[in-house]
Amino acid sequence: MKGADALLGAAGFAAFLALGEAVPRLGLVKEAYFPPTSRIADALGQEVTEGAFWTALGDTLTGWALGLAIAVGAGVVVGVLVSVVPYLREATASTIEFLRPIPSVALIPLAVLLYGTELRSVLLLVVYASFWQVLVQVLYGVRDVDPVAEETARSYGLGAWARIRHVLWPTALPYVMTGVRLAAAVALILAVTAELVIGAPGLGSRIAVAQTSQAVPEMYALVVVTGLLGLLINVGARTVERRALAWHQSVRGEVTV
């Protein structure tokens, strides 16, 4: 079944590439605005031979990885504290609901004022957007803890740290991993967006330069690279999730099926 799914996926991707080649060749769209797949592939091949491309790729991955790490660490710590400290969740609920819907791109002017086009501007946007993905999942995970298990742990004299480690964390971990997977995708989106709009070093700034210089095939080639990065990050996050939750019923059921 997996082999057949892989073949169908490959066939669908090949059909998509063929469509991208045929549409401009048939004159349905202007090649100046949408080059054929072959021209985009040629531009991509040229890009990967340039050192500046790899430098930009490293800058994007640096902003993504640092921002994601900070967001995950802060989201887990804040989520657990808010959940276990009495009355803290009620005290912070309105603040969380106020801050969480604010679009990260709305903070671009603030990031530029504070840090200009430095890496810290990218980190500000990435961390803000990714933090809420993790925090909300942690809050849901802690809420899902079995109260009977919690009371049993208390009756056996387990301290706060022991209860977090042996009761709360195993229940919340599936939610945490979901939050990390969502945050990883959001972090990449905001990293490229920040580079594109602010001009911070990275793939986004190269896309902006290619667009302003009318290097359309190169622009699409760089967009393809960001898409491939997103695919790799999603596959990697799912792999880590399956390994971290190998003991969990949902993953065991997925593997069995």
Side-chain angles (χ1 to χ4, degrees):
M1 181 62 69
K2 289 184 178 181
D5 291 342
L7 288 175
L8 286 174
F13 184 65
F16 175 75
L17 295 179
L19 182 64
E21 181 73 22
V23 167
R25 297 291 186 188
L26 295 174
L28 299 178
V29 296
K30 292 183 178 181
E31 290 192 24
Y33 303 140
F34 188 84
T37 302
S38 57
R39 287 187 60 194
I40 297 175
D42 290 340
L44 180 58
Q46 181 63 35
E47 282 287 334
V48 299
T49 63
E50 298 179 4
F53 166 79
W54 295 105
T55 301
L57 177 61
D59 290 334
T60 296
L61 290 177
T62 298
W64 168 80
L66 287 177
L68 179 63
I70 295 171
V72 170
V76 171
V77 172
V78 173
V80 172
L81 286 177
V82 167
S83 299
V84 301
V85 176
Y87 306 112
L88 189 56
R89 181 161 189 169
E90 289 76 11
T92 58
S94 58
T95 303
I96 291 174
E97 290 304 317
F98 169 74
L99 293 175
R100 186 166 63 92
I102 297 177
S104 298
V105 292
L107 301 180
I108 288 178
L110 174 63
V112 173
L113 287 174
L114 291 176
Y115 306 119
T117 59
E118 297 179 12
L119 173 62
R120 289 181 292 180
S121 292
V122 177
L123 292 179
L124 175 62
L125 300 177
V126 170
V127 171
Y128 186 85
S130 305
F131 170 77
W132 302 112
Q133 307 294 326
V134 180
L135 176 65
V136 170
Q137 290 296 324
V138 172
L139 295 178
Y140 280 129
V142 174
R143 185 185 299 175
D144 200 38
V145 172
D146 187 351
V148 175
E150 176 72 15
E151 290 302 321
T152 302
R154 290 179 183 274
S155 66
Y156 275 97
L158 271 67
W161 171 248
R163 292 198 305 274
I164 291 174
R165 180 182 178 184
H166 298 291
V167 179
L168 185 151
W169 185 247
T171 301
L173 185 56
Y175 293 87
V176 173
M177 295 308 300
T178 298
V180 171
R181 176 162 50 83
L182 296 174
V186 170
L188 178 63
I189 294 171
L190 266 297
V192 175
T193 300
E195 295 162 358
L196 185 64
V197 177
I198 296 175
L203 291 175
S205 63
R206 283 185 66 86
I207 292 174
V209 170
Q211 187 268 331
T212 55
S213 60
Q214 300 299 313
V216 178
E218 289 75 10
M219 181 191 71
Y220 279 105
L222 292 168
V223 171
V224 168
V225 171
T226 61
L228 292 175
L229 273 181
L231 176 62
L232 291 175
I233 287 172
N234 185 60
V235 171
R238 287 187 176 277
T239 301
V240 172
E241 183 178 18
R242 285 195 297 268
R243 291 187 177 182
L245 299 177
W247 52 271
H248 197 264
Q249 181 181 359
S250 61
V251 175
R252 293 205 308 269
E254 178 182 337
V255 172
T256 302
V257 172

